[in-house]
Amino acid sequence: MNTTINEALELVGALVEGLDGSEVAQLIVCPPFPWLTPVSAALGNTSIEIGAQNCAVENKGAFTGEVSAQMLVSAGCTAVIVGHSERRSLYGEDNQTIAKKLRMAIDSGLTVIFCIGETLEERQSGRLETIIADQLISALGNCSNDDYQSIIIAYEPVWAIGTGLTATPEQAQEVHKFIRNKVESISSADVANAVSILYGGSCNATNATSIFSQPDIDGGLIGGASLKAADFLTIARSF
Ligand code: PEP
């Protein structure tokens, strides 16, 4: 819930202007709902894609205040974030709700940036792997191998989001490896090798290179640092 319309357009304008072709293969910006159409227009035919930060469980109808995956497609989105920890903790979205959103988004033709991650209490009490496995299995357990072409997984330790605390590259790598192995066990080795697993949580222009140098970290989900075009571009060039 950041930016006014003018700030969003200024930010995306600076991004477009700053692109020099050395950025990571796929760049997606996910502004708030009301800025999707104007930001999409500002992106024009650049390579930057546009996504939303959430979508509804339902497809259409009398669900006041909700925005469906189909509506996002019609607004020009190619992607949507599903299961962000703030949706889970502040808005009561459980694994079942998130699984329904993921299915709805894939069936609507969107790429899903599917977020998972443990709280500090869960990590410290030794439940990290159980939590991550539950989050993965409940959402991806019924996905076909084809579905994975529309799935990007984002590992975001809740204790690292917006806190300035970053997982060390080694801590992140350990969980990313666990995620890849778990995906292999519920799909196939080919799917697990091909799926992108992003790291998110206080990733910034200074720590991005060391985080992205890990073998199972394929990219980043960037919050606070994406609000400064120069920092976001530096991160996008840190591979
Ligand atoms: C986020 O909001 O998902 C996030 C990763 O934020 P930050 O980069 O600010 O920690």
Side-chain angles (χ1 to χ4, degrees), residues 84 86 156 160-164 200-203 221-225:
H84 190 280
E86 286 148 19
E156 298 207 300
I161 299 177
T163 58
S202 299
C203 189
L221 179 50
I222 314 303

Side-chain angles (χ1 to χ4, degrees), residues 180-198:
R180 207 176 290 286
N181 289 341
K182 190 55 70 183
V183 170
E184 178 171 349
S185 73
I186 54 181
S187 59
S188 73
D190 284 351
V191 165
N193 286 333
V195 73
S196 286
I197 309 176
L198 315 182

Side-chain angles (χ1 to χ4, degrees), residues 10-160:
E10 201 176 309
L11 184 52
V12 89
L15 273 188
V16 169
E17 198 150 306
L19 286 176
D20 69 7
S22 64
E23 295 79 20
V24 65
Q26 187 178 26
L27 262 187
I28 307 174
V29 292
C30 298
F33 287 136
W35 314 157
L36 287 171
T37 305
V39 166
S40 176
L43 289 171
N45 51 12
T46 63
S47 58
I48 305 179
E49 296 176 49
I50 187 157
Q53 299 175 9
N54 185 26
C55 69
V57 170
E58 299 84 6
N59 219 4
K60 64 180 294 193
F63 300 102
T64 303
E66 290 293 284
V67 177
S68 74
Q70 241 179 33
M71 292 161 73
L72 297 179
V73 171
S74 112
C77 289
T78 56
V80 62
I81 298 171
V82 165
H84 190 280
S85 73
E86 286 148 19
R87 300 301 315 173
R88 293 176 188 263
S89 66
L90 302 176
Y91 301 98
E93 292 189 15
D94 59 15
N95 285 338
Q96 286 66 38
T97 303
I98 290 159
K100 286 184 197 159
K101 291 187 175 194
L102 179 123
R103 173 50 49 208
M104 191 58 84
I106 293 175
D107 290 348
S108 303
L110 293 168
T111 294
V112 178
I113 302 163
F114 165 51
C115 301
I116 55 175
E118 82 290 357
T119 63
L120 192 55
E121 190 275 318
E122 287 162 347
R123 174 175 275 262
Q124 287 176 340
S125 61
R127 289 184 295 139
L128 187 156
E129 293 193 350
T130 312
I131 295 293
I132 298 288
D134 280 354
Q135 292 173 338
L136 283 170
I137 291 165
S138 56
L140 305 182
N142 290 324
C143 286
S144 68
N145 286 2
D146 271 359
D147 286 335
Y148 281 88
Q149 287 176 15
S150 307
I151 295 170
I152 295 171
I153 298 171
Y155 169 58
E156 298 207 300
V158 178
W159 48 272

